[in-house]
Amino acid sequence: MSASVPSSPSPVPGPRPVPAPVSVLDLAPVVPVVVVRDAADAVPLARALVAGGLPAIEVTLRTPAALDAVRAIVAEVPDAVVGVGTVITPEQVTEAVDAGARFLVSPGWTDVLLTAMRESGVPFLPGVSTTSEVVALLERGVREMKFFPAEAAGGTAYLKSLAGPLPQARFCPTGGVGPGNAREYLALPNVGCVGGTWMLPESAIEARDWGRVEALAREAAGLRDGA
């Protein structure tokens, strides 16, 4: 299965959501992994990321504010393609889609979770960290995956070793990926994008310095150049 992103209808009159390309992995070189502690920050944060060239935004289910943040971004930032991460149960799949998620990301997978994500009707990136997990997903028709935790699981050397025997698998590496090594990942033929948090420093979020977030997002959006 390809993690293609369907265009979602606009819930209210006004600007329509940005047309999405064929795959989540092709939206931008970097997918910001966002932890929202205050739902009031969601809209300005998302606007800053989009303005910086990072339209795909993964809001993680690590705080009580996460789903409210997704709803706010969906309603007020039509150029964002907002997804939900850290999805580990079928119930969370339903909650995420009901909130307006346009894609799902999990740190790992089971057959139960995979079935729920497949039946959700939105693209998904199940997490893998071993060759056997990749082969098992390919066997089930899933070709696009999250590689997590990327650095701890072998990093670029591991992914490079998978490209020969398993060229049909494509990855979004997340976990230990930052501006110092992102280009190395993006240069690999089986990496579509990377996920990370470095464009969202705590100091900028606490100060609501959205200009700094936008500047860091713009730097991240240019990482594929020359990769």
Side-chain angles (χ1 to χ4, degrees):
M1 173 176 177
S2 176
S4 58
V5 186
S7 295
S8 59
S10 181
V12 294
R16 295 185 64 81
V18 63
V22 173
S23 169
V24 173
L25 300 185
D26 297 325
L27 283 163
V30 179
V31 176
V33 180
V34 180
V35 179
V36 180
R37 293 183 172 81
D38 185 344
D41 292 338
V43 168
L45 186 154
R47 285 177 175 155
L49 292 172
V50 171
L54 301 181
I57 301 170
E58 177 190 338
V59 177
T60 63
L61 293 178
R62 300 180 190 178
T63 68
L67 292 176
D68 285 338
V70 171
R71 295 184 189 98
I73 295 170
V74 169
E76 299 187 47
V77 192
D79 287 343
V81 180
V82 62
V84 172
T86 324
V87 174
I88 59 173
T89 69
E91 292 76 19
Q92 289 176 332
V93 169
T94 300
E95 291 169 351
V97 174
D98 287 348
R102 294 177 65 188
F103 64 93
L104 305 171
V105 184
S106 66
W109 66 278
T110 65
D111 279 320
V112 170
L113 179 59
L114 192 67
T115 296
M117 291 193 292
R118 195 191 298 274
E119 292 177 350
S120 72
V122 302
F124 56 90
L125 296 173
V128 297
S129 60
T130 68
T131 305
S132 294
E133 291 172 315
V134 175
V135 171
L137 283 178
L138 292 174
E139 193 175 76
R140 290 159 173 79
V142 179
R143 290 183 168 82
E144 298 190 347
M145 313 164 195
K146 170 178 177 173
F147 181 56
F148 176 82
E151 282 291 282
T156 55
Y158 194 94
L159 286 173
K160 188 181 296 185
S161 71
L162 293 181
L166 302 171
Q168 63 272 53
R170 295 181 74 214
F171 302 95
C172 174
T174 304
V177 180
N181 60 6
R183 287 186 189 274
E184 297 175 25
Y185 280 99
L186 292 168
L188 297 176
N190 54 353
V191 170
C193 64
V194 299
T197 62
W198 71 89
M199 71 298 298
L200 300 162
E202 284 289 337
S203 58
I205 303 302
E206 291 174 1
R208 292 175 168 80
D209 187 351
W210 310 124
R212 184 181 174 198
V213 171
E214 180 179 341
L216 291 170
R218 186 169 289 107
E219 291 176 5
L223 281 172
R224 193 183 297 281
D225 299 338

